[in-house]
Structure formats: C-alpha cells, structure tokens
Amino acid sequence: MKKPVNVAITGAAGNIGYALAFRVASGGMLGPDQPINLHLLEITPSLAALQGVVMELNDCAFPTLNKIVATDDAKVAFKDCDVALLVGARPRGPGMERKDLLLANAQIFSAQGKALDAVANRNVRVLVVGNPANTNALIAQRNAPNLNPRNFTAMVRLDHNRALSQLAEKTGSHSTQIKKAIIWGNHSATQYPDLHQATVDGKPALSLVDQKWYAETFIPVVQQRGAAIIKARGQSSAASAASAAIDHIRDWVLGTQEGDWVSMGVPSDGSYGIPEGVIYGYPVTCKNGDYQIVQGLSVNDFSRARMDATHKELLEEKDGVKELI
Ligand code: NAX
C-alpha cells in the first residue's frame, strides 16, 4: 500500500470545494491506488457546513480516503501537506470595488502563504483557484520564502478546457482530438486563448476555422465563459472548475501526454518576453513531477499584442497589492 498523500483544500464547504473534495477523495486526482488524507480548511462560521461535507465524505466509504482533518486553522490544515488547493476566497460583495476585493483576498493569501511556509511539506505543490488567482498565487509565493517558488501555480486550466470544448464543437470533433491549445496570461477577461499551435486530428486548427471566427467569436467566448455560466446558472462555475483543478494537479504530478501540452499559471522566467515577477499562463509539459515551459514557439504580432495586454493587467494587479508582496 502506498503512503497516503496529504491534500489540503481551502474553502472546502464552498461550491467548488464541494465538487472537488469528493473527486480528490475517490482517487480522481492521483489515481485509484493512492490513499489520500484530506485536510479541509474553512472560516469559523462555515465549520458547521464543513462538518456536513465531512459526514458525506465518510458516507461515501471511498477506498482511497484514509483520513479527514477539518479545521479553521491554516497551520493545522497545511501541516505536512503535499498538495494545497487554495480555493477559498472572498466573493465580491455589494458595492465592493475591484480594488477592495483584491486587497481582501490579498490578506487571505498572504496569511496562507505564511502558514504553508511554516508547516507544509518542503516540496508542496500549490494550486491557487480563488480569484484573482494569478495575483493570489504570487502573494502566497512571496509570503513563503522557504518553499520552492516554482511550486506556486494558478489555475488557467478551466480556460484551457473551455478552449478545447469550443474548438471541438466548431470543428465537429472531440476534445481529445485537439492538441496544443494555449491560454497565455491572467485568468481573467484579458487572458489570451491562442490557437496558432493547435491541431485538430493532426491538422492546424486555424486552417479549419476562419480568422474572423477565431478573433471575434472564439477568443471572446472563452474569455467570457465564466460570466456566461453565471448568467445561465445564477452561480459561478463549480463542477467544471473542480474538474480543471483535478486535471492541473494530476498532469503536474503524473505527467502530460506525449505530443501535447497543457496551460498552467506559473512564475514567469522571461520566456516569451514576459519578465520575472508575475504568475503567467504558459504552455507547459510535465514529467517526473515537474513542469517545463514549452520553448521556441513563434509569436506573431496578433499574439504579441494580446500577450502583452494580459501581462499589463497582471502588473496592475500586482501594483494594487504591493504592500503584501
Ligand atoms: P464559494 O463562495 O461558494 O466558496 C468559497 C468558500 O471559501 C466559502 O465556503 C468560504 O467560507 C471559504 N473561505 C473564504 N475565506 C476563506 C479562508 N480565508 N480560508 C478558508 N476558506 C475560506 O465560492 P466558489 O464558487 O467555491 O469559488 C471559489 C473561488 O474560485 C472564487 O474566488 C472564484 O472566483 C474562484 N474561481 C476561479 C476559477 C479559476 O478558473 N481560477 C473558476 C471558478 C471560480 O470562479
């Protein structure tokens, strides 16, 4: 029997947390032979709801679920954790400016970065889902100087999966036939969903769709998909966000498929002209539990302008929280 892996989930009683905890516990993330200790973190007023989640998790009798810790103390939740899924965040309240939201969340993620630094496994892999995800990941990273800075990542995988699904629908194919889509930059409306490298059943995607559809339909639909889900459901994406978080960690730990890549928000290292200092969506391949930014892709003027615009937004977000990083 393998040694259990400690997986922390913050905001575990929230919408995404509720969809995520069961799939992680049932082996959907790290495989059916990997025992999981779930460490669930919530704020104090949500502990009663969290107890309900714990009861349901126990009632599933999952063979892979070894132990559950449910707490409102980040140092208890992050103790020796190998994977930290930082989902819990402050939603935008009535009358709240974007700047207030940024600051409220910055405080959460600086405190959680410090707690991870104090007690997590030294090689903990961190995925930030809570918005603004890229900037929150940067704040957590900067507040955890004793952990590997490469291991602080943000989720753009939902956007990547949305891009696959839109292109599959347009070309009458299945998402598994699509390779090498990219989400560059921020998980926000400035993200740049890039199909210049993408293939559908081995054929260049942009030879199968016209430029007008790509520029005027595909890009905005992917960028605005979160808002479209809220409009339709009255609530933000939850199951698809949880599924993307599972995909992100599974591929990081177990590896990406040969001949393909995925998009992850990772610390910029100067690749593609994006200077160090932000968490930026890049195409990556993963092997042996590590990721590498795909190098050497050509970037045309259309792409360059969009990649720079989303970088500019990340710099503005960073400027808004400069006291905390
Ligand atoms: P919910 O409001 O349903 O749940 C959030 C949960 O977090 C609540 O139960 C709350 O009590 C808890 N929480 C708040 N502060 C906490 C703290 N300091 N420590 C621990 N728990 C805390 O939101 P949900 O729909 O689950 O969304 C969670 C976050 O994901 C939001 O910030 C949302 O904007 C973001 N999203 C990010 C996506 C991405 O692709 N990166 C897509 C989906 C989603 O919009």
Side-chain angles (χ1 to χ4, degrees):
M1 193 65 167
K2 284 182 170 175
K3 190 170 161 268
V5 167
N6 298 328
V7 178
I9 302 178
T10 73
N15 277 315
I16 297 174
Y18 187 71
L20 186 56
F22 294 85
R23 289 192 59 196
V24 172
S26 63
M29 185 169 80
L30 296 177
D33 59 345
Q34 177 58 64
I36 301 285
N37 293 332
L38 266 190
H39 294 194
L40 308 178
L41 181 70
E42 260 297 346
I43 50 175
T44 314
S46 297
L47 279 180
L50 185 61
Q51 257 327 304
V53 177
V54 170
M55 287 158 72
E56 282 202 75
L57 281 162
N58 284 326
D59 291 351
C60 290
F62 290 128
T64 39
L65 181 55
N66 188 58
K67 192 174 84 175
I68 306 175
V69 175
T71 177
D72 59 359
D73 181 344
K75 283 200 180 153
V76 173
F78 295 150
K79 179 87 183 121
D80 298 327
C81 72
D82 304 295
V83 174
L85 304 169
L86 307 187
V87 178
R90 183 84 184 273
R92 194 192 286 234
M96 213 171 172
E97 298 284 331
R98 186 180 156 78
K99 195 172 182 299
D100 303 331
L101 183 72
L102 195 65
L103 269 181
N105 280 308
Q107 267 140 19
I108 294 175
F109 286 85
S110 68
Q112 293 187 350
K114 288 188 176 80
L116 283 164
D117 199 49
V119 299
N121 177 329
R122 295 301 84 183
N123 196 37
V124 60
R125 290 182 177 83
V126 181
L127 169 63
V128 176
V129 175
N131 277 321
N134 300 52
T135 298
N136 288 341
L138 182 72
I139 294 166
Q141 181 211 49
R142 293 291 173 87
N143 282 277
N146 297 301
L147 298 177
N148 184 350
R150 277 175 59 78
N151 282 5
F152 284 78
T153 68
M155 189 161 97
V156 294
R157 184 61 177 267
L158 178 55
D159 310 296
H160 182 100
N161 289 346
R162 286 167 171 167
L164 300 184
S165 133
Q166 290 300 316
L167 183 59
E169 193 180 323
K170 176 72 177 172
T171 55
S173 56
H174 191 267
S175 56
T176 50
Q177 294 171 280
I178 299 174
K179 312 280 182 222
K180 299 187 174 176
I182 305 173
I183 303 296
W184 300 99
N186 201 3
H187 167 68
S188 76
T190 69
Q191 66 174 272
Y192 171 42
D194 181 2
L195 292 182
H196 286 89
Q197 317 293 333
T199 57
V200 181
D201 217 8
K203 296 184 216 54
L206 291 182
S207 71
L208 301 173
V209 298
D210 61 71
Q211 178 69 21
K212 189 170 156 59
W213 177 82
Y214 171 53
E216 293 175 24
T217 301
F218 173 82
I219 293 176
V221 164
V222 174
Q223 289 172 330
Q224 304 292 340
R225 186 69 163 180
I229 304 268
I230 293 175
K231 192 160 173 246
R233 239 171 61 84
Q235 282 191 313
S236 60
S237 337
S240 55
S243 196
I246 299 244
D247 289 347
H248 178 115
I249 296 290
R250 183 201 57 227
D251 288 347
W252 186 359
V253 174
L254 302 176
T256 42
Q257 283 182 14
E258 205 50 49
D260 200 4
W261 60 55
V262 295
S263 303
M264 284 171 62
V266 303
S268 55
D269 63 353
S271 295
Y272 298 98
I274 305 300
E276 281 182 35
V278 293
I279 306 285
Y280 191 89
Y282 278 110
V284 301
T285 54
C286 305
K287 204 173 176 180
N288 302 325
D290 198 8
Y291 65 82
Q292 298 296 332
I293 295 172
V294 175
Q295 297 295 332
L297 303 177
S298 60
V299 172
N300 64 16
D301 292 347
F302 181 93
S303 297
R304 184 76 261 162
R306 285 161 180 76
M307 288 162 69
D308 289 344
T310 189
H311 179 234
K312 183 166 169 274
E313 183 186 45
L314 284 169
L315 292 179
E316 286 161 10
E317 287 185 8
K318 185 178 170 184
D319 193 52
V321 297
K322 55 177 179 291
E323 301 81 19
L324 288 159
I325 54 176

